[in-house]
Amino acid sequence: MKGDSPREAAFEVLRAVSADDAYANLAMPAALRRHELRGRDAALATELGYGALRGQGSYDAVIAACVTRPIEDLDPPLLDALRLGAHQLLATRVPPHAAVSTTVNLVRRHVNEGAARLANAVLRRIGERDLDGWAAELAPARDADLTGYLAFRHAHPLWIVRALHDALGGDDAELEAALRADNEPAGVTLAVRPGRGTVDELVESGARPTRWSPYGAVVESGSPARLAAVREGRAGVQDEGSQLVALALAAAPVEPPDERWLDLCAGPGGKAALLAGLLTQTGGRLLAVEQHEHRARLVAQALAGDLGEHEVLVADATQPNWPEADFDRVLLDAPCTGLGALRRRPEARWRRRPADVAGLRRLQSGLLRSALWSVRPGGLVAYVTCSPHLAETVTVVDDVLAGRSDVERIDARPYLPGVPDLGDGPDVQLWPHRHGTDAMYLALLRRTE
């Protein structure tokens, strides 16, 4: 039915994520186009789909308490529909009768009548309590096990809650604020390509300037593709935190020459486009390295139209095929768990596993050694991750620098001018709940010899 199109779209996204390992941020726009949803209907579909995915672990615990069989034995389409219904009942203002009836109709259409009857019974049981009531029944007591309680109440795996707690220095109040922020929808932030676009143009099209990046603007509603600057490649989607760490590398002083910059893991190309635009103004040259060909093509697309010198190279950055000490500045935005962008990737928290960290840490360490090998004495390396996990951030830098006397860690905070709450330094950790950005980490390192 046309009136159920938002829920149909949300359900299709849940099915794509569950059955096909799809990425919700790619599946949702496609579903909105299929159902020709815009405005409020598109916003409803997005909230229902993303919300059900974010809350999946907690909703599954609630569903499990309301059925007489293991939820793994439920038909997968039925389980996804129940997740959608649970989200409406426990986390939205959708009237309970509407949440139940629309979900039962979904199950009737996509599974069968028997499953619809089961869904009706389960959802009515779910609706007997609010989320705090279910937390009181299913989660550890807050006073006895705070991280366990918060993991359920704010729908994060326990290992991620503990990692965030550690990264926040054990501050309980900040931990809860960080978890809440992960569950708030992130706005769409754009970055203009220096020399190709202006923030004023974006503002004239209805965006508002970002707080700290001079190249950023936030699109309050609608698709960014409606803006001519985005369609023509003069601006692209890029979180303000991502802009700030790249700009910090460009702003920190380096003794001349300052002509050759390297982006070591350049895909999908947002930071490369920002750096290339800055270099074009000074006559420098950027080498953008990306191991995977499909991501290298995205980098080339982001750089298309830049008037300066740049090259995209498909290569393994842990095995550099360029001369040692060949670059004045090196950006290493290392592959990571992505725990700093959970608000943008609703399913990611349930896909990641603690074991992922160790493998990524080995890669991050190898890449950082390559970055330091590639930069000349006196030059700078920016080590960046979109994760606040200490095993991917400060301790990676600590371990790589241990026993080395040819690298100094410099205070990165002055190169994010105006940004508050940056801690004691020298490294910078941004946070969604403090700064409204993704949780980007930055360490600035100078090779001294």
Side-chain angles (χ1 to χ4, degrees), residues 15 28 58 66 135 144 157 176 178 187 237 291 316 342 389 404 440:
R15 293 302 303 134
M28 181 61 73
S58 298
C66 296
E176 186 156 18
V237 175
Q291 182 175 8
D316 180 354
L342 295 181
H389 197 306
R404 294 185 65 149
M440 304 296 296

Side-chain angles (χ1 to χ4, degrees), residues 232-249:
E232 295 165 9
R234 293 180 285 109
V237 175
Q238 186 179 16
D239 178 69
E240 186 178 14
S242 178
Q243 297 176 47
L244 291 172
V245 295
L247 292 171
L249 171 64

Side-chain angles (χ1 to χ4, degrees), residues 120-442:
N120 184 63
V122 171
L123 291 169
R124 291 185 182 281
R125 288 198 62 192
I126 291 173
E128 291 172 0
R129 296 175 176 83
D130 62 11
L131 187 56
D132 286 327
W134 282 113
E137 177 166 330
L138 300 176
R142 183 183 181 110
D143 292 343
D145 180 2
L146 179 65
T147 55
Y149 172 84
L150 294 178
F152 178 92
R153 182 59 182 81
H154 298 293
H156 284 64
L158 182 59
W159 72 274
I160 293 180
V161 176
R162 289 171 173 164
L164 296 179
H165 202 213
D166 290 344
L168 288 162
D171 189 307
D172 295 344
E174 278 225 86
L175 171 62
E176 186 156 18
L179 298 174
R180 288 183 185 277
D182 274 349
N183 291 333
E184 292 294 325
V188 176
T189 304
L190 303 177
V192 295
R193 316 305 195 197
R196 290 193 276 163
T198 67
V199 172
D200 286 345
E201 177 187 2
L202 299 181
V203 171
E204 289 171 3
S205 298
R208 60 174 173 81
T210 48
R211 285 181 287 179
W212 302 299
S213 169
Y215 299 100
V218 178
V219 178
E220 301 286 5
S221 62
S223 170
R226 66 184 172 81
L227 304 182
V230 174
R231 292 196 305 273
E232 295 165 9
R234 293 180 285 109
V237 175
Q238 186 179 16
D239 178 69
E240 186 178 14
S242 178
Q243 297 176 47
L244 291 172
V245 295
L247 292 171
L249 171 64
V254 166
E255 290 294 324
D258 188 14
E259 302 169 345
R260 291 176 56 77
W261 295 5
L262 171 65
D263 187 349
L264 206 54
C265 297
K271 295 183 186 68
L274 189 55
L275 295 177
L278 297 174
L279 268 175
T280 297
Q281 299 172 18
T282 61
R285 186 175 190 275
L286 176 72
L287 176 63
V289 177
E290 173 54 51
Q291 182 175 8
H292 303 287
E293 288 195 12
H294 70 284
R295 287 173 65 85
R297 287 193 293 271
L298 295 176
V299 178
Q301 290 172 14
L303 292 172
D306 182 80
L307 299 178
E309 287 191 61
H310 59 259
E311 177 186 356
V312 179
L313 177 66
V314 179
D316 180 354
T318 63
Q319 301 176 23
N321 58 3
W322 48 84
E324 183 180 4
D326 201 35
F327 296 93
D328 304 303
R329 299 178 193 260
V330 178
L331 172 65
L332 169 56
D333 184 3
C336 67
T337 56
L339 300 186
L342 295 181
R343 59 195 187 135
R344 299 187 187 279
R345 299 164 188 160
E347 76 283 0
R349 68 189 70 182
W350 308 113
R351 284 184 171 169
R352 281 296 185 190
R353 296 291 180 267
D356 297 339
V357 177
L360 285 164
R361 180 184 175 89
R362 287 190 293 272
L363 176 59
Q364 292 155 356
S365 298
L367 288 166
L368 182 52
R369 292 188 181 94
S370 289
L372 293 167
W373 181 89
S374 300
V375 76
R376 66 164 173 86
L380 284 173
V381 170
Y383 175 73
V384 172
T385 65
C386 188
S387 171
H389 197 306
L390 295 179
E392 301 185 87
T393 59
V394 60
T395 63
V396 170
V397 179
D398 288 345
D399 287 357
V400 170
L401 298 192
R404 294 185 65 149
S405 60
D406 62 336
V407 181
E408 67 172 334
R409 210 167 183 155
I410 69 172
D411 192 343
R413 294 173 298 171
Y415 307 111
L416 286 80
V419 182
D421 299 321
L422 294 180
D424 298 329
D427 305 346
V428 163
Q429 178 64 67
L430 300 174
W431 289 97
H433 69 286
R434 289 183 190 171
H435 305 105
T437 69
D438 291 345
M440 304 296 296
Y441 167 82
L442 167 67

Side-chain angles (χ1 to χ4, degrees), residues 46-60:
T46 302
E47 158 57 25
L48 296 184
Y50 283 6
L53 289 168
R54 288 191 190 98
Q56 179 175 309
S58 298
Y59 296 152
D60 282 1

